[in-house]
Amino acid sequence: MSDKIEETVGIKHEVATFGAVDYAVCGLLLLVSTVIGLYHACRGGRQRTAREFLLADRTMTCLPIALSLTATFQSAIAILGAPAEVFRFGTEFWFLGCSYFLGLLIPAHVFLPVFYRLGLTSTYQYLELRFNKTVRILGTATFIFQMMVYMGVVLYAPALVINTVTGIDVWLSVLGLGLVCIVYTTLGGIKAVIWTDVFQTVVMVAGQVAVIAVSAGQEGGIVAVWRTAASNDKIAGIDLNPDPTERHTFWTLCVGGTFVMVALFGTNQAQVQRYLSSRSERQARFACYMVLPCQQLMMVIGCLLGLVMHVRYRECSPLRMHLVSSHDQLVLYFVMDVLQDLPGLPGLFVACLFSGSLSTISSAFNSLAAVTMEDFIRPSCTHLTEERAAFFSKLLALGYGLLCLGLAYLASQMGSIMEAALSIFGIVGGPLLGLFCLGMFFPCATPQGAIVGLFVGLAMAFWLGIGRLLIMPVRTPASALVSLPKACQDASSTPIAGPLLTSPSLLFSSNLAEHFIAPDVVFSTTASIEHRSTNMLATEHAGKIGLEWFYSLSYMWYAAHGAATVVLVGLFDT
């Protein structure tokens, strides 16, 4: 399965490749996903009406909807990113789970009843009922822009990481995922999307749990892993620092994270459309409740995987030894390292990543088809029959699927511009949340105030995000300030064959972490380095003034900043 080059300090330097069993596991995932789509295309009403295609005739129960909501949130980027975050900075990221409580209860009791009782298909129909058609079109156009930019990245970026670590061709992954997703989304509608999400959720959990079980066993068990991580200060306590420029504190993760979750689960069409497909409002609310333990489970799995990675590589990181070129590759490198002698399990984890991509992309296809049909086509074609609407909805899903493949190719040519693309998803969500809050909570708000508020909110959000990207300097890794152990020095000087160091496109991942996800400390392997970097960071924060302080705002506050701007400007203009 792999060719051994050398072994140093417990790390095997190998160019890992897939075997036949691994390819079979990945192929089985794609086959089952396609079969689910074909099954729902041929049973029941056979997706003959737009209501069935986009809302499953409002017949879904809470369990599949809850698992579908979990799968949509858990993209391949999140599966690769959360363990890498814990590996680098410890379990402080775990406190994001606290934001799920209000982040799910508020949508369940505030936004969901409004959308469900109005019988909406597109959440942006509410904006016309509350304000006017112009506000509705602007909201829809903003959402379409958000999802189109994100689709190409969420399809291409994981494929690139998989290619650099396993050798699977990038465009084989992109085309395989894209075409399978197009087939089952176009033929099976939202019902196929939800049930494939259920299957893919099981695959995602199984893949990550298998890696944790094997790797923790190699390190002496979960208890031993926890003790070692604690001795290296990787088990974080509660940081009550109120400074909003601190990347992760209790307040940024719990309060700032709540705004992120409300924007995602309360107003994002891809998520709300699942609530609206429930057979009753009660079922929709229960689905929202059930997402909470599901998301907590996924958070625990990601954190445990990150801790096991830290224990295995606490002396010599693959990144510092030039075995990988970005933090995004660490998880998959770890998987290939740990599971290389167990045929099929690496394939299961890559299938887990494929599942993350499929669930996110299929949701995007279906939600984009829904808002385009309901917000642009139906208002212009008032005599459109349900059968014709269903046909056009399928064409829209097909068209957005093909567009996604084109955007993935465009993403491969963008290089560092992709850094901004990955942040657009979060930057746009805040102003959209603010627009809905302005309509629901402030009866005095006018259409003109909503339009001005949205434009100013988007302008401020992009100014903050792009300004941080272009102006804030990339800090020198703390690990670069400390000499490597002798064994790591010997290993890092050894040329490593394979694509890991020869793919310049990968640089966007590392730079992205610098600007938007990890601007404070790039990497460290010992508690002393962490302590030194923290002291350096405190000194940097103390000297920030004006725009530099503004650009240093933690990315977890972006949604709250955008929403507050829209509401305040909208009220002021009113």
Side-chain angles (χ1 to χ4, degrees), residues 421-481:
L422 278 172
S423 287
I424 287 174
F425 191 74
I427 289 172
V428 175
L432 283 176
L433 171 62
L435 187 62
F436 281 96
C437 289
L438 186 66
M440 290 187 183
F441 304 141
F442 300 95
C444 63
T446 63
Q448 179 180 321
I451 294 171
V452 174
L454 179 61
F455 277 118
V456 174
L458 288 171
M460 289 291 290
F462 278 100
W463 178 24
L464 174 60
I466 297 175
R468 181 183 188 125
L469 174 67
L470 298 178
I471 296 177
M472 291 298 289
V474 177
R475 294 184 177 90
T476 302
S479 57
L481 305 176

Side-chain angles (χ1 to χ4, degrees), residues 108 126 350:
Y126 168 80
V350 172

Side-chain angles (χ1 to χ4, degrees), residues 121-398:
T121 298
S122 165
T123 56
Y124 304 100
Q125 291 174 268
Y126 168 80
L127 296 178
E128 181 174 2
L129 296 174
R130 172 61 181 84
F131 296 113
N132 59 28
K133 187 173 182 179
T134 302
V135 178
R136 173 183 180 178
I137 291 174
L138 289 175
T140 303
T142 303
F143 170 76
I144 290 175
F145 170 74
Q146 176 191 41
M147 296 303 293
M148 285 177 60
V149 172
Y150 190 65
M151 276 196 308
V153 176
V154 83
L155 179 59
Y156 177 74
L160 183 61
V161 174
I162 291 169
N163 166 259
T164 57
V165 179
T166 67
I168 297 178
D169 183 74
V170 172
W171 294 108
L172 178 63
S173 297
V174 169
L175 289 175
L177 290 173
L179 293 176
V180 166
C181 197
I182 289 171
V183 168
Y184 76 73
T185 304
T186 302
L187 297 180
I190 188 67
K191 191 174 289 188
V193 170
I194 290 175
W195 282 110
T196 51
D197 283 350
V198 171
F199 167 66
Q200 289 155 9
T201 301
V202 174
V203 174
M204 282 190 277
V205 172
Q208 294 177 88
V209 169
V211 174
I212 293 172
V214 174
S215 57
Q218 294 176 357
E219 302 299 331
I222 287 292
V223 175
V225 168
W226 187 270
R227 288 174 178 167
T228 303
S231 67
N232 288 318
D233 292 337
K234 288 294 182 180
I235 308 301
I238 298 178
D239 182 1
L240 296 176
N241 187 346
D243 185 357
T245 65
E246 286 287 345
R247 179 172 168 271
H248 283 166
T249 66
F250 177 82
W251 307 112
T252 59
L253 291 169
C254 294
V255 181
T258 296
F259 282 89
V260 175
M261 297 305 158
V262 172
L264 180 65
F265 290 102
T267 63
N268 186 283
Q269 173 70 23
Q271 303 288 64
V272 174
Q273 193 171 335
R274 280 153 176 73
Y275 304 143
L276 300 179
S277 66
S278 301
R279 62 176 56 172
S280 68
E281 183 182 329
R282 186 167 178 265
Q283 288 282 327
R285 188 177 296 110
F286 281 163
C288 213
Y289 295 158
M290 294 175 67
V291 172
L292 178 58
C294 294
Q295 288 291 71
Q296 296 289 359
L297 174 63
M298 301 304 288
M299 178 68 74
V300 169
I301 289 174
C303 287
L304 289 178
L305 186 54
L307 291 178
V308 179
M309 287 170 55
H310 164 72
V311 171
R312 187 175 184 86
Y313 298 137
R314 63 187 181 278
E315 296 295 337
C316 295
S317 162
L319 188 67
R320 298 176 71 200
M321 295 164 65
H322 307 298
L323 297 173
V324 296
S325 60
S326 80
H327 293 100
D328 297 328
Q329 301 171 25
L330 281 171
V331 175
L332 201 48
Y333 179 88
F334 170 76
V335 169
M336 299 304 293
D337 180 20
V338 169
L339 303 181
Q340 56 190 305
D341 298 322
L342 298 171
L345 287 185
L348 177 61
F349 189 81
V350 172
C352 162
L353 295 179
F354 282 174
S355 296
S357 290
L358 285 171
S359 61
T360 303
I361 298 167
S362 61
S363 301
F365 291 171
N366 197 268
S367 62
L368 286 169
V371 297
T372 305
M373 169 55 64
E374 297 298 325
D375 298 330
F376 291 111
I377 296 179
R378 274 195 192 274
S380 302
C381 305
T382 55
H383 300 294
L384 197 66
T385 64
E386 276 295 303
E387 290 74 13
R388 295 292 290 174
F391 175 73
F392 284 128
S393 296
K394 293 177 182 180
L395 286 183
L396 286 169
L398 173 63

Side-chain angles (χ1 to χ4, degrees), residues 13 96 220 299 368 407 490:
H13 298 189
L96 181 63
M299 178 68 74
L368 286 169
L407 291 171
D490 295 339

